[in-house]
Amino acid sequence: LNRVQSAGRVGRAMHKILGNVQEKLQSRWEGSSVIHLGDHNVPNAFFFLDKYTQVDRILAPMVRVIQRLPELEEDAGQRKFIREAYGGHEKL
């Protein structure tokens, strides 16, 4: 059972960061503007930190694959498949 706590300083800091990002991106902002902190989704600041520090572990393998896509086309068979199926690694 988790104790729900508001974590006011963390919440204010996150809202400030979000506001700055939205201001810089203006109409190009996509995604949610909700910061779940001190509610049923993220009951306290420790869950918040754990939740968002996992983003790198989730995205890093995908980034590595994307960065190495050009290497796949070094092999003639893979190059043929990638170009016929997707139009080249740039379009993947």
Side-chain angles (χ1 to χ4, degrees):
L1 195 57
N2 298 306
R3 185 171 168 219
V4 176
Q5 297 178 329
S6 66
R9 288 188 302 184
V10 174
R12 284 188 296 278
M14 292 306 302
H15 282 284
K16 184 176 180 178
I17 292 168
L18 177 63
N20 289 340
V21 170
Q22 288 176 322
E23 185 178 319
K24 287 180 182 178
L25 293 175
Q26 296 176 351
S27 63
R28 296 176 296 163
W29 172 260
E30 293 184 26
S32 176
S33 298
V34 177
I35 296 173
H36 292 284
L37 186 60
D39 61 13
H40 67 283
N41 291 313
V42 182
N44 57 52
F46 292 118
F47 273 74
F48 176 84
L49 293 172
D50 180 58
K51 180 178 178 180
Y52 291 100
T53 57
Q54 293 181 40
V55 171
D56 180 57
R57 288 183 289 197
I58 295 166
L59 294 180
M62 291 185 271
V63 169
R64 282 194 298 273
V65 168
I66 291 167
Q67 289 173 333
R68 296 186 70 184
L69 283 174
E71 294 175 30
L72 292 175
E73 289 192 336
E74 291 174 4
D75 177 78
Q78 289 178 341
R79 180 174 49 250
K80 182 179 183 221
F81 169 74
I82 291 170
R83 288 184 180 173
E84 289 177 358
Y86 302 103
H89 72 270
E90 298 90 357
K91 294 185 180 180
L92 274 174

